[in-house]
Amino acid sequence: MREWSRILLGVSVVLWTLCWRGEAKKSVAVIGGGIAGSAAVKFLREELGDEAEIVLFEREEVWGGRVANEVLKHDNRPGYQNLEMGATLIYSGNHYARQMAEDMGLTKRVVKSEWFAFWDGRSFVWESLPSKLLTSLSLFVRYNFSLMRLTRLINRIVNAFLDIYAIQAKGEMFESPKELLEAVGLYELTQENITSFLGKHGVKGKVVSELVAGVNANNYNQGNGMNALAGSVSLCPMVSGNVFMLSEGNVQLMTRVIAAYATRAERQRSVSKLQILPDQRYRVWAGAAELGDFDAVVVAAPLEDAKLLIEGKEGGSVVGVKAPRRTFQEMETLWVKGEVRPAYFRSNEGWWGRLRSGVLRRVLRKEELPVPSSIYLTDKATEVEGFSSLERCGPGVYKLFSKTRLGEAALSELLEPSWRIVARKKWAAYPLYSPPETFASFRLVRGERIYYPNAIENAAACLEMSAVAAKNVALLAAHDLRLPD
């Protein structure tokens, strides 16, 4: 009798364990294979464990979202060069992006601009010099104590942002970007423009109209009317730390993370509808194709681009979705093979520019002084020239950012004969910032397990902001899925 009791007890324990595991196993759909989607997959896996089913859907043929690269084969030697078409640089202080790159075995290549300048449409208003000491002195001469105040201010903002990592490590989560940013004292920066914010802290004059405007035009193709947080994020690499790229191509960060953490990942799946079911599950559709039922959904793509219908339990679209309408800043990334004509930038220099060029010619021992390897245009120059930055990325290889498409006539004026385009891409890259900013919730529908990390882009758009938002929605989802139904 005792033997049968043990057998029955053993069978009961096994059945209870299997039932418990079946109950504990949760499924999450992630829509979008960019940085927010791939980071969400990683953080959901860490929060929910190996048993969870995490399925990612991406409408394009490749992963990456607004990160993409083309390949340029070298002309006279073996090998190739990755041409980053979207998000290019990763700031060294970006904990999540840096850690994911290291975990995936990707090679970090520190990016240093040895010779850079600011162009106002007529001449170089400032140009770096052959030594760090001389460059620092020339920066101080041009921008004086405003530059020092700017550096201290950006460092304070960086330190405040670093608090987010400690907060999230403790498992704290937020329903909205506003609450998250308030927790580290950065929300108010989204409510005024960068010029006003800097002015309150004694940063005024040329450092704002030249340096700040040039960097923001390069990173966001927007001027100093953008919100102060986005503008400060843009300035971080220039005044605090350094930046790196991934030698394998930045898109490999998303590709490898998805491969490592997703249960299943499907490309060319354009999700068109989420249907809220009565049992608090969610049916995902791609046109007429039913992709499955899930316990939670992460919408990791801008709603403006996703064109996603969320259907309520009784049918019809859900009226509870609250997301402010956003206009996106379009930009074009252009890669060309060729050489820049020095006369394009050097012919109209004033007396100070001619003196500086003469010194550089003697130091570099050049009869004709070439142009700096990185050129940032001020607000005024961007409108005149049609592009916002020009960067030399290898022998005879240049990358240009512009708001509109650069035509053949403009490029022929800028470049020596025999130039050619090797890659170009038009993007709806970033929200057009216009403070005071308003925010969608991280939870798209009140009371439902439908999450939206892209809500944070109204504060600032960059790889790390998306990763931070992905961590937050993973914490929210894990918390909600542990609650009894």
Side-chain angles (χ1 to χ4, degrees), residues 221 330-332 386 401-406 424 426:
N221 252 304
E330 290 192 344
M331 61 179 290
E332 183 178 76
F401 284 129
S402 62
K403 288 183 181 179
T404 57
R405 188 181 183 89
L406 290 173
R424 77 188 316 162
K426 188 176 182 180

Side-chain angles (χ1 to χ4, degrees), residues 58 110 121 134 197 218 309 313 320 329 344 346 433 451 485:
E58 165 59 45
V110 175
L134 290 174
F197 172 74
N218 174 63
L309 171 67
K313 296 173 184 177
Q329 174 65 62
Y344 185 91
R346 299 289 184 188
Y433 295 111
Y451 310 99
D485 291 331

Side-chain angles (χ1 to χ4, degrees), residues 366-416:
K366 300 280 187 179
E367 289 188 14
E368 183 179 43
L369 189 64
V371 298
S373 54
S374 296
I375 300 173
Y376 303 101
L377 279 68
T378 64
D379 265 352
K380 180 178 67 175
T382 298
E383 297 302 323
V384 173
E385 304 293 345
F387 61 93
S388 57
S389 67
L390 171 69
E391 183 176 6
R392 187 175 186 270
C393 300
V397 180
Y398 288 86
K399 181 180 184 180
L400 294 95
F401 284 129
S402 62
K403 288 183 181 179
T404 57
R405 188 181 183 89
L406 290 173
E408 184 175 335
L411 291 170
S412 294
E413 188 178 354
L414 174 65
L415 302 166
E416 299 283 9

Side-chain angles (χ1 to χ4, degrees), residues 175-182 186-192 227 229-230 321-326 431 433-444 452-461 465:
E175 288 286 333
S176 72
K178 180 177 184 290
E179 293 173 8
L180 187 155
L181 294 170
E182 283 178 334
L186 295 177
Y187 171 71
E188 290 304 320
L189 275 69
T190 69
Q191 301 303 292
E192 65 178 317
N227 78 62
L229 183 57
V321 178
K322 293 185 177 180
R325 294 293 302 171
R326 300 181 297 188
Y433 295 111
S434 181
E437 308 289 0
T438 55
F439 296 91
S441 172
F442 284 127
R443 189 188 302 274
L444 270 180
Y452 185 46
N454 294 69
I456 205 160
E457 287 190 326
N458 280 29
M465 291 292 281

Side-chain angles (χ1 to χ4, degrees), residues 112-117 127-129 346 360 364 369-375:
K112 293 183 179 180
S113 181
E114 297 179 354
W115 188 7
F116 61 99
E127 193 172 352
S128 62
L129 296 170
R346 299 289 184 188
L360 284 171
L364 299 174
L369 189 64
V371 298
S373 54
S374 296
I375 300 173

